[in-house]
Amino acid sequence: MSVFNITVDNFHPAPEAIARVAKTLNYEPIELKGVTYRGVGQGYSPEGIYGLIAALFGNTPIRPTMEHFRLGTKTEKPTTYIHADSTCAKYAAVWYLSEAPADVIAGTAFWKHKELGIESIKSREHLVELAGGEDKALEFAKNLDVEGNDESKWKMTGLVGQKFNRITIYPTSVFHSRYPQDAWGEGVNDGRLTWACFFDL
């Protein structure tokens, strides 16, 4: 099965209850593969969540590799902005548990690199090909990470708007980001609250 994007409104039957629990979690930095990610809430998995996701794939069983809640505020910068998560799993899901302010266009954005003309890193082999050889792949990937923080080097190709109880699912190979780069609010009651997971089928 090949899927670019699945977006569903009114995803969960009891989103308010999930959001209430999510707001009681501690949102702290975690380190993963040498990278520090801020605003991560762990220790709670919404009951039945993977069954609901599986239903979107014709009840194909889900094999999750990672899940967590994320909190973004106006004083917190994301560790990475425009990026791909190919090493995590085949698919990513973002479930919005808060609304954006009325005057803010927000959600999950998808991007194309202006100079390279690419919208994804499909595989390790694709990365090596783009870099011009195995010996150049690591440096190429590091440069992409750096350029991921410079929005002027990218063209937005799509945006899934943030809406309470909306979920969006997409391949981890595509370049994406939260949008805008800066979030809003002071904490769990007025910040950008989401649940994210990576999974295979």
Side-chain angles (χ1 to χ4, degrees):
M1 178 181 289
S2 178
V3 174
F4 172 69
N5 181 275
I6 296 173
T7 297
V8 176
D9 289 344
N10 303 313
F11 167 66
H12 195 282
E16 294 86 357
I18 304 300
R20 281 196 297 271
V21 177
K23 290 177 181 181
T24 68
L25 300 178
N26 292 322
Y27 288 88
E28 300 174 330
I30 64 168
E31 188 167 309
L32 184 64
K33 297 180 180 179
V35 178
T36 300
Y37 296 90
R38 294 177 288 275
V40 178
Q42 295 180 304
Y44 168 55
S45 181
E47 184 177 354
I49 190 74
Y50 289 112
L52 291 171
I53 293 175
L56 303 178
F57 289 87
N59 293 318
T60 302
I62 298 301
R63 183 168 60 85
T65 60
M66 184 189 311
E67 70 167 293
H68 47 257
F69 291 87
R70 295 297 300 270
L71 175 64
T73 65
K74 64 183 180 182
T75 59
E76 166 267 339
K77 290 283 188 182
T79 305
T80 55
Y81 184 37
I82 300 169
H83 65 287
D85 295 305
S86 307
T87 60
C88 296
K90 186 172 182 178
Y91 293 106
V94 177
W95 178 26
Y96 306 111
L97 290 168
S98 66
E99 295 278 2
D103 59 342
V104 175
I105 297 173
T108 300
F110 300 94
W111 303 89
K112 179 178 182 178
H113 194 281
K114 291 180 179 177
E115 182 180 350
L116 298 171
I118 58 173
E119 298 180 51
S120 65
I121 299 292
K122 299 179 179 68
S123 63
R124 171 69 184 178
E125 292 74 21
H126 186 210
L127 174 64
V128 171
E129 179 185 346
L130 290 169
E134 183 72 44
D135 58 327
K136 300 177 182 178
L138 180 59
E139 181 180 358
F140 182 86
K142 287 181 177 178
N143 286 339
L144 271 181
D145 285 343
V146 172
E147 292 186 348
N149 289 309
D150 183 354
E151 193 174 309
S152 70
K153 295 186 178 295
W154 303 81
K155 178 183 178 181
M156 187 187 295
T157 60
L159 176 70
V160 176
Q162 179 153 342
K163 180 180 179 181
F164 183 73
N165 202 23
R166 170 179 285 171
I167 192 169
T168 185
I169 297 170
Y170 50 88
T172 57
S173 60
V174 299
F175 292 114
H176 61 279
S177 72
R178 82 178 190 189
Y179 190 83
Q181 185 173 15
D182 294 329
W184 53 84
E186 304 286 346
V188 293
N189 291 317
D190 60 356
R192 182 185 190 270
L193 185 62
T194 60
W195 176 86
C197 76
F198 301 102
F199 65 93
D200 294 308
L201 299 179

